């Protein structure tokens, strides 16, 4: 539906539509906020578009209605003391590098988790931002992975910027210390998680597992070694050793299903090379995780 005025100079035709009156007159008179009006317009337009697509109506009368969006609230920027307080509380050096680079460059989160060593020119203290990573379902990924790295940024523009010499040196040292090779992620999730199992308990060694002994006798008189299938499933033991066995079994089963190779357990993830591009990206709720 067009919102342009008629040739005779009359009022816009959209004003004659009930949907236009609903959004511009009825809802405001009822005390609805501008945000509510905009959300109602979005829902109505989606439903009318679906009806149009299926042949139930001849057009979408809501599509041409333009509304003023409510003004956005002020952006609260952390002060230097606030950032320093958070920075000092970060549990890992990798998290400190991640936070320092993000704050000093102003890059988006989806860009930060996409950086590889090739994006940095440490000699000239330059950074190239040309990729972004999004989390998708397996159906929308060419290889069925969790993350998809796009060869363009969120707004489609590539950027090249100067970075502070101290920040560049921090990133260079981070790459060297963690043995990050060409083409690999600078901030893989394995550097932000601890060697723990469920409830963040420290992993037990084989000797500690053996020292747990056997479960209490069942009604049939059988006992099972802790940290085994029988103890967890049959005896229903939930001690630390049995819970660790269950977590390890679940991870190994998932690896067999997805075809990934485990190279050790780090925070429940396998940090092998097969996870570099498809699964190893950092997710927002992990960067502040402590042991």
């Amino acid at each position: 539906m067009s919102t342009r005025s008629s040739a005779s100079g009359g009022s816009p035709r959209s004003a004659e539509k009930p949907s236009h009156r609903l959004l511009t007159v009825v809802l405001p008179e009822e005390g609805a906020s501008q945000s509510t009006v905009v959300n109602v317009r979005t829902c109505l337009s989606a439903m009318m578009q679906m009806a149009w697509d299926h042949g139930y109506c001849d057009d979408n009368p809501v599509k041409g209605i333009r509304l003023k969006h409510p003004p956005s609230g002020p952006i609260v920027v952390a002060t230097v003391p606030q950032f320093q307080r958070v920075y000092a509380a970060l549990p890992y050096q990798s998290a400190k590098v991640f936070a320092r680079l993000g704050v000093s460059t102003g890059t988006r989160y989806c860009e930060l988790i996409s950086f590889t060593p090739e994006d940095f020119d440490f000699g000239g203290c330059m950074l190239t931002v040309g990729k972004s990573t999004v989390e998708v379902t397996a159906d929308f990924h060419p290889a069925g992975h969790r993350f998809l790295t796009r060869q363009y940024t969120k707004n489609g523009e590539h950027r090249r910027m100067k970075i502070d010499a101290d920040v560049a040196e921090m990133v260079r040292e981070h790459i060297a210390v963690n043995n990050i090779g060409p083409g690999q992620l600078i901030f893989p999730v394995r550097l932000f998680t601890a060697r723990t199992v469920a409830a963040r308990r420290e992993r037990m060694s084989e000797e500690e597992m053996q020292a747990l002994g056997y479960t209490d006798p069942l009604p049939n008189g059988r006992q099972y070694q802790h940290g085994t299938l029988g103890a967890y499933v049959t005896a229903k033991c939930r001690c630390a050793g049995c819970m660790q066995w269950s977590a390890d079994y679940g991870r190994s089963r998932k690896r067999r299903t997805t075809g990934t190779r485990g190279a050790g357990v780090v925070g429940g993830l396998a940090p092998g090379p097969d996870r570099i591009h498809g699964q190893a990206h950092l997710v927002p709720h992990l960067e502040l995780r402590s042991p």
Side-chain angles (χ1 to χ4, degrees):
M1 181 190 67
S2 173
T3 59
R4 293 175 298 180
S5 298
S6 62
S8 60
S11 61
R13 286 178 293 169
S14 59
E16 302 173 359
K17 298 291 185 178
S19 56
H20 186 277
R21 176 174 173 78
L22 170 69
L23 297 172
T24 59
V25 179
V26 177
L27 289 179
E29 288 181 350
E30 292 294 331
S33 66
Q34 188 64 19
S35 298
T36 300
V37 175
V38 171
N39 291 333
V40 170
R41 194 210 79 87
T42 302
C43 295
L44 283 176
S45 180
M47 290 187 291
M48 294 303 299
Q49 186 65 41
M50 181 180 296
W52 188 10
D53 293 341
H54 288 78
Y56 292 104
C57 59
D58 297 332
D59 66 347
N60 180 356
V62 186
K63 186 175 182 180
I65 300 177
R66 297 293 180 260
L67 300 174
K68 292 183 178 180
H69 284 263
S72 58
I75 299 176
V76 180
V77 180
T79 62
V80 174
Q82 289 173 335
F83 173 74
Q84 290 176 342
R85 182 180 178 184
V86 174
Y87 185 82
L90 293 176
Y92 306 114
Q93 180 61 22
S94 300
K96 294 180 183 292
V97 177
F98 185 86
R100 182 82 178 273
L101 180 63
V103 170
S104 63
T105 60
T107 51
R108 301 180 179 92
Y109 186 88
C110 61
E111 298 165 348
L112 278 170
I113 63 176
S114 307
F115 285 148
T116 60
E118 291 77 11
D119 296 322
F120 291 85
D121 177 6
F122 296 109
C125 295
M126 299 295 294
L127 169 63
T128 301
V129 183
K131 301 187 298 292
S132 61
T133 298
V134 293
E135 187 174 2
V136 298
T137 60
D139 295 338
F140 295 97
H141 194 288
H145 294 311
R146 179 180 179 183
F147 297 94
L148 176 64
T149 298
R150 306 171 298 184
Q151 298 305 313
Y152 53 88
T153 61
K154 183 178 180 180
N155 61 0
E157 298 179 358
H158 288 207
R159 309 190 301 278
R160 183 171 172 82
M161 66 185 73
K162 186 81 172 179
I163 59 177
D164 187 78
D166 293 339
V167 176
E169 178 60 24
M170 178 181 286
V171 175
R172 187 199 61 78
E173 182 179 352
H174 167 83
I175 293 174
V177 169
N178 294 286
N179 298 319
I180 298 172
Q184 295 183 352
L185 296 177
I186 290 180
F187 300 112
V189 67
R190 62 183 176 85
L191 300 181
F192 294 79
T193 53
R195 287 184 175 273
T196 59
V197 291
R200 300 185 182 179
R201 294 186 296 269
E202 292 294 330
R203 290 188 59 80
M204 302 179 65
S205 63
E206 290 294 334
E207 293 75 14
E208 292 172 330
M209 294 279 280
Q210 293 294 331
L212 293 176
Y214 291 83
T215 62
D216 295 333
L218 298 178
N220 60 7
R222 291 190 176 183
Q223 292 179 283
Y224 296 91
Q225 173 73 41
H226 284 289
T228 61
L229 174 66
Y232 184 82
V233 177
T234 306
K236 300 186 184 327
C237 178
R238 295 301 182 265
C239 68
C242 292
M243 292 296 291
Q244 178 174 312
W245 173 88
S246 175
D248 291 346
Y249 175 81
R251 281 190 292 269
S252 63
R253 182 176 180 179
K254 184 176 181 179
R255 295 191 191 107
R256 291 195 301 269
T257 303
T258 59
T260 57
R261 303 184 306 277
V265 178
V266 182
L269 296 173
D274 54 282
R275 300 188 68 93
I276 291 301
H277 295 293
Q279 307 281 73
H281 292 86
L282 181 64
V283 292
H285 67 277
L286 284 178
E287 65 263 28
L288 299 180
R289 178 175 292 181
S290 59

